[in-house]
PDB file of all heavy atoms in Angstrom:
ATOM      1  N   GLU A 696     193.401 -34.977 -94.022  1.00  0.00           N
ATOM      2  CA  GLU A 696     194.711 -34.323 -93.925  1.00  0.00           C
ATOM      3  C   GLU A 696     195.502 -34.918 -92.758  1.00  0.00           C
ATOM      4  O   GLU A 696     196.683 -35.186 -92.871  1.00  0.00           O
ATOM      5  CB  GLU A 696     194.553 -32.810 -93.726  1.00  0.00           C
ATOM      6  CG  GLU A 696     193.928 -32.077 -94.901  1.00  0.00           C
ATOM      7  CD  GLU A 696     194.823 -32.049 -96.143  1.00  0.00           C
ATOM      8  OE1 GLU A 696     196.010 -31.729 -95.996  1.00  0.00           O
ATOM      9  OE2 GLU A 696     194.307 -32.329 -97.244  1.00  0.00           O
ATOM     10  N   LEU A 697     194.787 -35.118 -91.624  1.00  0.00           N
ATOM     11  CA  LEU A 697     195.443 -35.711 -90.460  1.00  0.00           C
ATOM     12  C   LEU A 697     195.987 -37.097 -90.790  1.00  0.00           C
ATOM     13  O   LEU A 697     197.104 -37.446 -90.438  1.00  0.00           O
ATOM     14  CB  LEU A 697     194.456 -35.817 -89.288  1.00  0.00           C
ATOM     15  CG  LEU A 697     194.342 -34.600 -88.369  1.00  0.00           C
ATOM     16  CD1 LEU A 697     193.363 -34.874 -87.243  1.00  0.00           C
ATOM     17  CD2 LEU A 697     195.715 -34.223 -87.801  1.00  0.00           C
ATOM     18  N   LYS A 698     195.148 -37.880 -91.502  1.00  0.00           N
ATOM     19  CA  LYS A 698     195.575 -39.235 -91.883  1.00  0.00           C
ATOM     20  C   LYS A 698     196.839 -39.188 -92.735  1.00  0.00           C
ATOM     21  O   LYS A 698     197.709 -40.030 -92.620  1.00  0.00           O
ATOM     22  CB  LYS A 698     194.448 -39.932 -92.661  1.00  0.00           C
ATOM     23  CG  LYS A 698     193.431 -40.609 -91.735  1.00  0.00           C
ATOM     24  CD  LYS A 698     192.399 -41.383 -92.546  1.00  0.00           C
ATOM     25  CE  LYS A 698     191.003 -41.212 -91.951  1.00  0.00           C
ATOM     26  NZ  LYS A 698     189.947 -41.166 -92.993  1.00  0.00           N
ATOM     27  N   LYS A 699     196.908 -38.141 -93.576  1.00  0.00           N
ATOM     28  CA  LYS A 699     198.084 -37.998 -94.443  1.00  0.00           C
ATOM     29  C   LYS A 699     199.290 -37.484 -93.655  1.00  0.00           C
ATOM     30  O   LYS A 699     200.368 -37.310 -94.209  1.00  0.00           O
ATOM     31  CB  LYS A 699     197.790 -37.006 -95.568  1.00  0.00           C
ATOM     32  CG  LYS A 699     197.007 -37.606 -96.730  1.00  0.00           C
ATOM     33  CD  LYS A 699     196.950 -36.606 -97.885  1.00  0.00           C
ATOM     34  CE  LYS A 699     195.500 -36.266 -98.238  1.00  0.00           C
ATOM     35  NZ  LYS A 699     195.342 -35.006 -98.952  1.00  0.00           N
ATOM     36  N   GLY A 700     199.060 -37.172 -92.382  1.00  0.00           N
ATOM     37  CA  GLY A 700     200.157 -36.670 -91.556  1.00  0.00           C
ATOM     38  C   GLY A 700     200.336 -35.165 -91.633  1.00  0.00           C
ATOM     39  O   GLY A 700     201.324 -34.629 -91.159  1.00  0.00           O
ATOM     40  N   ASN A 701     199.364 -34.442 -92.214  1.00  0.00           N
ATOM     41  CA  ASN A 701     199.460 -32.979 -92.283  1.00  0.00           C
ATOM     42  C   ASN A 701     198.854 -32.371 -91.029  1.00  0.00           C
ATOM     43  O   ASN A 701     197.653 -32.386 -90.839  1.00  0.00           O
ATOM     44  CB  ASN A 701     198.736 -32.482 -93.544  1.00  0.00           C
ATOM     45  CG  ASN A 701     198.747 -30.962 -93.629  1.00  0.00           C
ATOM     46  OD1 ASN A 701     199.394 -30.287 -92.828  1.00  0.00           O
ATOM     47  ND2 ASN A 701     198.030 -30.435 -94.595  1.00  0.00           N
ATOM     48  N   ARG A 702     199.713 -31.853 -90.140  1.00  0.00           N
ATOM     49  CA  ARG A 702     199.219 -31.266 -88.894  1.00  0.00           C
ATOM     50  C   ARG A 702     199.162 -29.755 -88.963  1.00  0.00           C
ATOM     51  O   ARG A 702     198.871 -29.095 -87.972  1.00  0.00           O
ATOM     52  CB  ARG A 702     200.113 -31.680 -87.724  1.00  0.00           C
ATOM     53  CG  ARG A 702     200.202 -33.177 -87.560  1.00  0.00           C
ATOM     54  CD  ARG A 702     200.808 -33.591 -86.226  1.00  0.00           C
ATOM     55  NE  ARG A 702     200.336 -34.928 -85.894  1.00  0.00           N
ATOM     56  CZ  ARG A 702     199.208 -35.180 -85.261  1.00  0.00           C
ATOM     57  NH1 ARG A 702     198.447 -34.184 -84.851  1.00  0.00           N
ATOM     58  NH2 ARG A 702     198.827 -36.425 -85.018  1.00  0.00           N
ATOM     59  N   SER A 703     199.469 -29.185 -90.120  1.00  0.00           N
ATOM     60  CA  SER A 703     199.501 -27.717 -90.198  1.00  0.00           C
ATOM     61  C   SER A 703     198.083 -27.140 -90.277  1.00  0.00           C
ATOM     62  O   SER A 703     197.097 -27.855 -90.393  1.00  0.00           O
ATOM     63  CB  SER A 703     200.338 -27.270 -91.402  1.00  0.00           C
ATOM     64  OG  SER A 703     199.513 -26.766 -92.424  1.00  0.00           O
ATOM     65  N   VAL A 704     198.018 -25.842 -90.180  1.00  0.00           N
ATOM     66  CA  VAL A 704     196.748 -25.140 -90.238  1.00  0.00           C
ATOM     67  C   VAL A 704     196.123 -25.264 -91.626  1.00  0.00           C
ATOM     68  O   VAL A 704     194.905 -25.252 -91.779  1.00  0.00           O
ATOM     69  CB  VAL A 704     197.006 -23.647 -89.909  1.00  0.00           C
ATOM     70  CG1 VAL A 704     195.794 -22.801 -90.183  1.00  0.00           C
ATOM     71  CG2 VAL A 704     197.466 -23.497 -88.480  1.00  0.00           C
ATOM     72  N   PHE A 705     196.986 -25.365 -92.636  1.00  0.00           N
ATOM     73  CA  PHE A 705     196.507 -25.364 -94.020  1.00  0.00           C
ATOM     74  C   PHE A 705     196.500 -26.767 -94.621  1.00  0.00           C
ATOM     75  O   PHE A 705     197.460 -27.517 -94.478  1.00  0.00           O
ATOM     76  CB  PHE A 705     197.425 -24.493 -94.898  1.00  0.00           C
ATOM     77  CG  PHE A 705     197.519 -23.068 -94.444  1.00  0.00           C
ATOM     78  CD1 PHE A 705     198.756 -22.470 -94.268  1.00  0.00           C
ATOM     79  CD2 PHE A 705     196.370 -22.334 -94.205  1.00  0.00           C
ATOM     80  CE1 PHE A 705     198.855 -21.147 -93.858  1.00  0.00           C
ATOM     81  CE2 PHE A 705     196.463 -21.005 -93.795  1.00  0.00           C
ATOM     82  CZ  PHE A 705     197.708 -20.410 -93.622  1.00  0.00           C
ATOM     83  N   SER A 706     195.441 -27.095 -95.332  1.00  0.00           N
ATOM     84  CA  SER A 706     195.416 -28.320 -96.120  1.00  0.00           C
ATOM     85  C   SER A 706     196.288 -28.107 -97.360  1.00  0.00           C
ATOM     86  O   SER A 706     196.619 -26.971 -97.710  1.00  0.00           O
ATOM     87  CB  SER A 706     193.988 -28.626 -96.537  1.00  0.00           C
ATOM     88  OG  SER A 706     193.473 -27.549 -97.300  1.00  0.00           O
ATOM     89  N   GLY A 707     196.630 -29.218 -98.029  1.00  0.00           N
ATOM     90  CA  GLY A 707     197.404 -29.115 -99.272  1.00  0.00           C
ATOM     91  C   GLY A 707     196.683 -28.256-100.285  1.00  0.00           C
ATOM     92  O   GLY A 707     197.274 -27.397-100.960  1.00  0.00           O
ATOM     93  N   ALA A 708     195.365 -28.450-100.386  1.00  0.00           N
ATOM     94  CA  ALA A 708     194.576 -27.708-101.375  1.00  0.00           C
ATOM     95  C   ALA A 708     194.583 -26.217-101.086  1.00  0.00           C
ATOM     96  O   ALA A 708     194.654 -25.384-102.000  1.00  0.00           O
ATOM     97  CB  ALA A 708     193.139 -28.229-101.386  1.00  0.00           C
ATOM     98  N   MET A 709     194.531 -25.865 -99.803  1.00  0.00           N
ATOM     99  CA  MET A 709     194.538 -24.450 -99.416  1.00  0.00           C
ATOM    100  C   MET A 709     195.847 -23.805 -99.856  1.00  0.00           C
ATOM    101  O   MET A 709     195.858 -22.716-100.427  1.00  0.00           O
ATOM    102  CB  MET A 709     194.365 -24.342 -97.896  1.00  0.00           C
ATOM    103  CG  MET A 709     194.382 -22.935 -97.348  1.00  0.00           C
ATOM    104  SD  MET A 709     192.787 -22.111 -97.443  1.00  0.00           S
ATOM    105  CE  MET A 709     191.910 -22.790 -96.029  1.00  0.00           C
ATOM    106  N   LEU A 710     196.976 -24.501 -99.598  1.00  0.00           N
ATOM    107  CA  LEU A 710     198.281 -23.952 -99.965  1.00  0.00           C
ATOM    108  C   LEU A 710     198.400 -23.785-101.481  1.00  0.00           C
ATOM    109  O   LEU A 710     198.857 -22.750-101.964  1.00  0.00           O
ATOM    110  CB  LEU A 710     199.405 -24.853 -99.451  1.00  0.00           C
ATOM    111  CG  LEU A 710     199.755 -24.698 -97.974  1.00  0.00           C
ATOM    112  CD1 LEU A 710     200.862 -25.673 -97.577  1.00  0.00           C
ATOM    113  CD2 LEU A 710     200.178 -23.267 -97.667  1.00  0.00           C
ATOM    114  N   ASP A 711     197.945 -24.811-102.215  1.00  0.00           N
ATOM    115  CA  ASP A 711     198.004 -24.737-103.683  1.00  0.00           C
ATOM    116  C   ASP A 711     197.226 -23.532-104.194  1.00  0.00           C
ATOM    117  O   ASP A 711     197.692 -22.777-105.035  1.00  0.00           O
ATOM    118  CB  ASP A 711     197.383 -25.998-104.313  1.00  0.00           C
ATOM    119  CG  ASP A 711     198.285 -27.217-104.115  1.00  0.00           C
ATOM    120  OD1 ASP A 711     199.466 -27.001-103.720  1.00  0.00           O
ATOM    121  OD2 ASP A 711     197.819 -28.347-104.338  1.00  0.00           O
ATOM    122  N   SER A 712     196.019 -23.397-103.678  1.00  0.00           N
ATOM    123  CA  SER A 712     195.150 -22.327-104.155  1.00  0.00           C
ATOM    124  C   SER A 712     195.719 -20.949-103.815  1.00  0.00           C
ATOM    125  O   SER A 712     195.713 -20.029-104.643  1.00  0.00           O
ATOM    126  CB  SER A 712     193.759 -22.504-103.537  1.00  0.00           C
ATOM    127  OG  SER A 712     192.922 -21.463-103.921  1.00  0.00           O
ATOM    128  N   LEU A 713     196.242 -20.817-102.585  1.00  0.00           N
ATOM    129  CA  LEU A 713     196.859 -19.549-102.174  1.00  0.00           C
ATOM    130  C   LEU A 713     198.037 -19.222-103.082  1.00  0.00           C
ATOM    131  O   LEU A 713     198.221 -18.075-103.512  1.00  0.00           O
ATOM    132  CB  LEU A 713     197.361 -19.677-100.740  1.00  0.00           C
ATOM    133  CG  LEU A 713     196.601 -18.949 -99.641  1.00  0.00           C
ATOM    134  CD1 LEU A 713     197.253 -19.221 -98.295  1.00  0.00           C
ATOM    135  CD2 LEU A 713     196.532 -17.455 -99.898  1.00  0.00           C
TER     136      LEU A 713
END
Side-chain angles (χ1 to χ4, degrees):
E696 294 292 313
L697 272 182
K698 275 185 220 145
K699 279 188 239 159
N701 177 6
R702 302 193 155 273
S703 107
V704 170
F705 301 129
S706 59
M709 179 84 80
L710 280 179
D711 288 347
S712 177
L713 253 179

